[in-house]
Amino acid sequence: MGTGVWSAGRPGWFSYELTELFTGSGRRQIHVEARLEEAGYHGTGTVETHTTSAKYLGEGQAAWHDVVSLGAPIRGRTLYPGDEGFAEACSGWLLTVEHRPAAVVVAADAEDVAAAVRFAAQAGRSVAVQSTGHGKSVPAEGAVFIATGELRELSVDPRARTARIGAGLRWGEVLTAAAEHGLAPLCGSSGQVGVMGYLTGGGLPLTCRTYGFAADHVRSLDIVTADGLLRTVSPAQEPDLFWAVRGGKSNFGVVVAAEIDLLPLRTLYGGELYYPVEDRRRAAHVLGSYLAWVKGQPEEMSSSVTLLRFPDVPQLPEEFRGRSFVQVRVVHMGEEGARLVEPLRALGPEKDTCETRPYTQITEIYQDPKNPVSAHLRSALLHELDDEAVEELVSFIDPATPGGPFPGIELRHLGGALDRPPGRSHAVSTQGAAFHLWMRMPAPAEQADAVRKAADEALERLRRWDTGAMLPGFMFDHDSAPERVRRAYTEAAYRRLAELKAKYDPNQLFRINHNIPPSGDGAGPRS
């Protein structure tokens, strides 16, 4: 028993100097040099003049606990399997993805993040990062898991119309703070979504046709890269890395803060229209009418249509049980919203919530689930849709063919500002697609394989209209496969990302993600 100091050695190694060892025969000195290997460490040491072996096997907690603190105390918390709070730190909104890291660093500040990244690099461990857990996509097995939920900086500069946001913030919090100054961020459909995962995936806001991707409106990012350095990247500082992070997700480091533009938006016109579907013909009429309607809409109108079929179960409100719906959602930024929606009202919705409302209510339009869900999520980018596409789509909610799994298939109308070059170039684009398809299917554990198979079959049936591209912010489950990650980018963008990966993370420290291998590591042109 005694006191000593850990210090880092070459990658994967550490040493320990114990200056006082209290035993029955008095004080002794010990020096141990050891290497981390899987769940433990082993090495050699000296006690006075004698050489001895030092070995630790088992859960690995003692080795990890000692080494994580080495030379750089963590202001936050370091947790291990079995510790109180460990499971909660690893949890998230999507229950179908389970993290099992070797250790969790609950960072209190950017320095904690940098220390954890440096340790992982030295120990040969991969790094996984999570702020809110809404975008869980790839299991973190044996990684150093950095939880940034406590990085909660938030300040608004009303004169500059900007906000500085820490990695632990969610969009609902930013909406509220910005609204106090008559300003607003370009958020997505849920106020529960974390800011950083959204921005690094490009960010498809509900006002996307009017303002483009949210990544267009990022001014700078603070990011800890694989070398353990905290960098501020912007159009003027390391512009290549700034380009890559906005769309490249977590491939280039851990984003700890962002500065974004805010827009002078106080109100919008928007809401939902629900059309009950008694038969396939009615569903086709409503969907076809919507597709004809969007062709004449100005850029100020962003919208989506969702095909829903609800199971007949007591957990649902009676008004939805066992019924199918076509649901249209609209968000209009201007004075003409009510007039433009009139053709949709003429189709006879059962429920209509469209109205002028405060911008702070924008995320209430979609009513995304706030509690964790067990669901299978898939996406695609589609061409323009014809009558055959309509028939194929409505077949998924045909009341005449009941049976699970029960899908929710959303088509988000693209185009407008999304098709123009952004003012601050980034890695994301719709690659000319007309619609974004988003499929959410309930996936209880006992039905997971059947649900995945059904989703694959649904996408196969829609292949004729599939552009072959995807958006990086909507990739889950087996969309993390390398050949599918390539589809999220143009060939030129993917090649540039791979080159920058080779520059900033050549050893693949950040690989618990939709991974982009560095150039020279299989990152050839997209097939």
Side-chain angles (χ1 to χ4, degrees), residues 456-501:
D456 288 341
E457 291 172 352
L459 290 174
E460 182 61 31
R461 286 165 58 184
L462 297 171
R463 181 182 290 275
R464 279 182 290 170
W465 301 279
D466 193 336
T467 65
M470 303 182 76
L471 291 178
F474 291 85
M475 302 178 73
F476 294 84
D477 204 10
H478 55 284
D479 284 338
S480 61
E483 65 275 11
R484 297 188 68 82
V485 172
R486 290 169 181 253
R487 296 175 58 181
Y489 309 97
T490 65
E491 184 173 334
Y494 187 84
R495 184 164 48 246
R496 184 179 177 189
L497 287 167
E499 291 168 355
L500 290 168
K501 181 75 169 178

Side-chain angles (χ1 to χ4, degrees), residues 21 208 314 377 423:
L21 182 67
C208 59
L377 309 174

Side-chain angles (χ1 to χ4, degrees), residues 129 279 361 398:
V129 62
D279 55 46
Q361 294 181 11
D398 186 352

Side-chain angles (χ1 to χ4, degrees), residues 154 156 163 165 169-179 185 195 260 262:
L154 177 57
V156 174
I165 307 165
L169 271 290
R170 302 173 188 243
W171 281 115
E173 299 166 290
V174 182
L175 274 168
T176 301
V195 172
I260 66 168
L262 298 175

Side-chain angles (χ1 to χ4, degrees), residues 16-83:
Y16 185 61
E17 293 284 350
L18 181 61
T19 54
E20 294 181 341
L21 182 67
F22 298 97
T23 67
S25 55
R27 294 184 178 182
R28 296 175 182 268
Q29 292 183 335
I30 184 172
H31 169 83
V32 176
E33 184 170 343
R35 178 178 178 83
L36 288 170
E37 287 188 357
E38 299 300 331
Y41 63 76
H42 69 85
T44 59
T46 56
V47 180
E48 292 187 326
T49 59
H50 302 286
T51 299
T52 186
S53 63
K55 190 172 185 179
Y56 174 84
L57 295 173
E59 294 293 328
Q61 293 184 24
W64 279 93
H65 194 288
D66 290 335
V67 181
V68 166
S69 330
L70 112 126
I74 299 292
R75 288 189 58 238
R77 292 169 291 148
T78 305
L79 305 172
Y80 311 94
D83 285 354

Side-chain angles (χ1 to χ4, degrees), residues 308-325:
L308 295 164
R309 186 172 68 185
F310 293 104
D312 188 2
V313 294
Q315 295 92 326
L316 290 174
E318 188 173 350
E319 61 182 311
F320 295 123
R321 289 179 199 167
R323 302 179 70 192
S324 295
F325 292 87

Side-chain angles (χ1 to χ4, degrees), residues 11 24 48 51 68 76 81 130 132 159 187 221 255 290-291 303 333 338 385 412 419 432 441 444 460 463 473 503 513:
E48 292 187 326
T51 299
V68 166
Q130 180 170 294
T132 67
R159 284 195 167 189
C187 59
L221 296 167
V255 178
Y290 167 80
L291 294 176
S303 66
M333 307 307 299
L385 301 173
R412 184 88 62 93
D419 289 343
M441 304 174 74
E460 182 61 31
R463 181 182 290 275
K503 176 179 178 180
N513 49 27

